[in-house]
């Protein structure tokens, strides 16, 4: 009877994992499509075969002259994105506050302004997740910087929750440090945006971190092993996909992948086919 019970439990677990594979939607960031903050990214992502597109909310051409508002927030440009999404019956899966690469959220008041602006704008675009990047000079390196960001997120988190969007933290720190930020922020509107390439390259056990964080602390994934095509580098993507499915995650994974051949549509389609092949496996 014990053996029979174990078999039933295993069968149920396998069924849940298979169901999770089917729930994973695959999108593409517009910057990897070389259509950064451009409405044409919508049609291109659909033509390649993706399920949706992730868009940058833009930045100014002059790093020393910040725009008055997030560029995609300009009515004409926002309407163009919405028109393309409706015309192609194709979702804008998530957004990225890319200007945080210039106005760092950890120490620049403008960073807070951009995050606040991104919340209603992302809602208007029909997306649910907002990527907040912390890289380069804007990377989180000290506990004081992490606490500063967490305290701001605690302040603005309720606004995100009320609007129905999630602020996703993409960075170079460990899963444990990210969890501490989430615990301090105390908001369901603040989660981890898990990038397997960034975390792997910073020496973290991505397969374990995904399982440790679990589906309740991850809002979305970036899949990449740049500058190589998926499956041709050091990251074990069958193991990554199994970890994502194993936690019961149902949402978006964006292929933030480079184009080693220089032919963006071709390489993106190759990477998409590779991931779809893994998802089709039992």
């Amino acid at each position: 009877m014990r053996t029979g019970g174990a078999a039933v439990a295993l069968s149920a677990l396998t069924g849940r994992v298979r169901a999770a594979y089917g729930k994973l939607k695959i999108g593409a960031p517009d910057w990897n499509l070389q259509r950064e903050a451009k409405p044409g990214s919508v049609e291109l992502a659909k033509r390649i075969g993706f399920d949706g597109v992730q868009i940058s909310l833009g930045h100014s051409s002059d790093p020393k002259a910040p725009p008055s508002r997030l560029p995609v927030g300009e009515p004409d440009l926002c309407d163009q994105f919405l028109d393309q999404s409706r015309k192609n019956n194709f979702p804008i899966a998530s957004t990225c506050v890319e200007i945080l690469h210039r106005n760092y959220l950890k120490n620049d008041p403008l960073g807070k302004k951009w995050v606040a602006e991104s919340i209603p704008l992302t809602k208007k675009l029909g997306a649910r997740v907002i990527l907040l990047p912390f890289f380069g000079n804007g990377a989180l390196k000290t506990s004081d910087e992490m606490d500063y960001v967490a305290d701001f997120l605690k302040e603005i988190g309720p606004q995100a929750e009320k609007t129905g969007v999630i602020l996703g933290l993409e960075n170079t720190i460990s899963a444990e440090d990210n969890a501490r930020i989430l615990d301090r922020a105390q908001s369901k509107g603040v989660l981890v945006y898990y990038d397997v390439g960034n975390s792997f390259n910073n020496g973290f056990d991505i397969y374990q971190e995904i399982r440790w964080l679990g589906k309740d602390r991850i809002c979305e994934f970036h899949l990449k092993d740049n500058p190589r095509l998926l499956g041709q580098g050091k990251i074990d993507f069958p193991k990554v996909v199994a970890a994502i499915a194993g936690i019961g995650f149902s949402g978006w994974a964006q292929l933030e992948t480079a184009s080693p051949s220089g032919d963006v549509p071709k390489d993106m389609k190759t990477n998409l086919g590779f991931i779809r092949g893994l998802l089709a496996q039992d």
Side-chain angles (χ1 to χ4, degrees), residues 172-195:
T172 57
I173 60 179
S174 69
E176 289 84 356
D177 281 335
N178 271 297
R180 280 191 281 272
I181 292 176
L182 267 53
D183 289 344
R184 188 175 177 111
Q186 297 180 344
S187 172
K188 294 179 181 178
V190 180
L191 295 177
V192 176
Y193 196 112
Y194 198 87
D195 186 305

Side-chain angles (χ1 to χ4, degrees), residues 185-220:
Q186 297 180 344
S187 172
K188 294 179 181 178
V190 180
L191 295 177
V192 176
Y193 196 112
Y194 198 87
D195 186 305
V196 301
N198 295 336
S199 293
F200 183 87
N201 290 334
N202 278 281
F204 300 116
D205 184 340
I206 58 176
Y207 320 106
Q208 178 59 31
E209 284 201 330
I210 291 170
R211 289 189 168 90
W212 185 82
L213 284 167
K215 66 182 179 65
D216 293 333
R217 289 188 288 199
I218 299 175
C219 59
E220 197 160 295

Side-chain angles (χ1 to χ4, degrees), residues 25-28 33 42-52 90 252 255 265 268-269 272-273 276:
K25 293 171 284 189
I26 310 299
L33 295 170
V42 177
E43 187 275 332
L44 178 57
K46 180 174 183 179
R47 177 154 44 90
I48 292 172
F50 286 100
D51 298 315
F90 195 73
W252 289 90
L255 302 193
M268 292 295 274
K269 191 167 187 175
L272 176 60
R276 288 255 171 83

